[in-house]
Amino acid sequence: MTAPGRRTVLITGSTDGMGRWLAQRLAEAGDRVLVHGRDAERAAQVRDAVREATGEDRAEVLLADLSRLPEVDRLADEVLARTERLDVLVNNAGIGASPGGARQVDAYGIERRFAVNYLAGYRLTRRLLPLLTASAPARVVNVASAGQQAIDFADPMLEKGYDPMRAYAQSKLAQIMFTFDLAQELSGTGVTVDALHPATFMDTTMVRESGISPWSTVEEGGAATLRLINAAGSGSGRYFNGTSQARADRQAYDAGAREQLRRLSEELTAGPAGTGR
């Protein structure tokens, strides 16, 4: 049960970097935080840090590998079993674009960056929409990127001419396209949906593993994301660069392209990789 006035917040990828920063700040502010990660030890460290800072058990651990759609469904099932409300969903988990990285796919042929950065959040959000709607006013915040590239729907899994940066950039644009579509779908429900590029090359493991020297701090990106998490009733279907509303790649405003992405996403999540729910 959640105490009156206390939000329940799920943050994917919250055992490191900006996700961990958000989990700690939100818990310290009084929220109940569902901490998601792949590694049990790192997730326990976040939970213990919250307990030490607040003197309460405000963080709960949920483990799942979001590169596998069956585990995304298992995560959704666990959230639905564990809580009667969900006030905020932050789709933050992601993988970067290591230079020279080889193309990776799962057992069903889904390209890994598309799977983790976009499709997992799409599927998780879809599964949790009834709970979010029942908890309204509620918010979905999609952590995207200024690095965006139009999706080639003739080759969305990038079987030809694979480039990790292109894979990353199209997965991040897909997040924004989903944000715009979902905001329209949920108009009038009390559930708002926004996306943002929190900050450029934050000092995170993902950035360092990409061989890039950080340009900004985790705190900078975290503050921009926290602003959206707390911006109840201020708008929906927007893309932000930091704290400023911005324009995304033009494909995000193409209704036909968004419909193609929606059909592709439904096909991928309803096929053998998903449960077909």
Side-chain angles (χ1 to χ4, degrees):
M1 295 290 289
T2 304
R6 182 184 182 192
R7 296 181 302 183
T8 297
V9 183
L10 169 60
I11 309 169
T12 65
S14 47
T15 61
D16 193 18
M18 190 182 78
R20 178 169 181 161
W21 186 93
L22 286 169
Q24 292 183 265
R25 298 294 86 73
L26 288 165
E28 288 168 2
D31 290 325
R32 173 195 183 198
V33 181
L34 305 181
V35 174
H36 159 263
R38 290 181 302 162
D39 185 276
E41 183 177 352
R42 289 200 301 175
Q45 289 172 356
V46 178
R47 180 194 60 208
D48 294 346
V50 166
R51 182 186 297 132
E52 182 177 350
T54 66
E56 297 180 17
D57 291 324
R58 296 181 185 172
E60 302 172 34
V61 170
L62 299 167
L63 299 176
D65 180 353
L66 299 189
S67 68
R68 300 183 64 250
L69 279 173
E71 290 209 29
V72 177
D73 276 320
R74 184 175 59 77
L75 174 61
D77 288 340
E78 190 169 354
V79 172
L80 293 170
R82 188 175 291 205
T83 184
E84 296 177 355
R85 66 177 299 110
L86 183 62
D87 301 275
V88 183
L89 168 61
V90 184
N91 288 309
N92 168 71
I95 53 177
S98 301
R103 181 176 179 268
Q104 296 176 295
V105 298
D106 65 12
Y108 309 101
I110 303 174
E111 193 274 324
R112 188 164 181 256
R113 286 175 176 83
F114 192 85
V116 175
N117 294 347
Y118 164 65
L119 199 60
Y122 172 88
R123 178 64 170 178
L124 183 63
T125 304
R126 285 284 177 201
R127 287 289 317 280
L128 297 178
L129 270 185
L131 183 59
L132 286 159
T133 303
S135 306
R139 292 191 65 73
V140 177
V141 176
N142 292 321
V143 179
S145 173
Q148 303 159 25
Q149 186 166 339
I151 300 166
D152 177 3
F153 287 101
D155 184 22
M157 296 299 107
L158 303 178
E159 297 180 56
K160 301 174 183 177
Y162 180 78
D163 175 73
M165 181 54 74
R166 179 184 170 199
Y168 174 83
Q170 78 162 18
S171 71
K172 289 299 180 179
L173 179 58
Q175 282 186 295
I176 298 168
M177 294 167 74
F178 174 50
T179 297
F180 292 175
D181 248 13
L182 189 61
Q184 290 183 355
E185 179 183 331
L186 297 178
S187 177
T189 66
V191 181
T192 56
V193 192
D194 285 313
L196 85 158
H197 166 72
T200 300
F201 298 137
M202 289 179 289
D203 189 8
T204 64
T205 301
M206 184 173 74
V207 168
R208 292 190 297 272
E209 286 181 347
S210 298
I212 298 169
S213 297
W215 290 12
S216 58
T217 65
V218 166
E219 291 78 8
E220 181 181 344
T225 308
L226 192 61
R227 174 179 171 273
L228 276 187
I229 291 171
N230 292 330
S234 62
S236 187
R238 301 167 299 175
Y239 166 67
F240 289 83
N241 187 334
T243 59
S244 301
Q245 192 165 344
R247 290 281 295 181
D249 181 274
R250 64 182 181 179
Q251 192 181 51
Y253 305 94
D254 182 337
R258 293 200 307 271
E259 183 179 355
Q260 284 184 284
L261 177 62
R262 184 166 58 250
R263 288 200 305 266
L264 173 65
S265 304
E266 286 300 302
E267 289 169 5
L268 292 173
T269 55
T275 62
R277 296 185 206 188

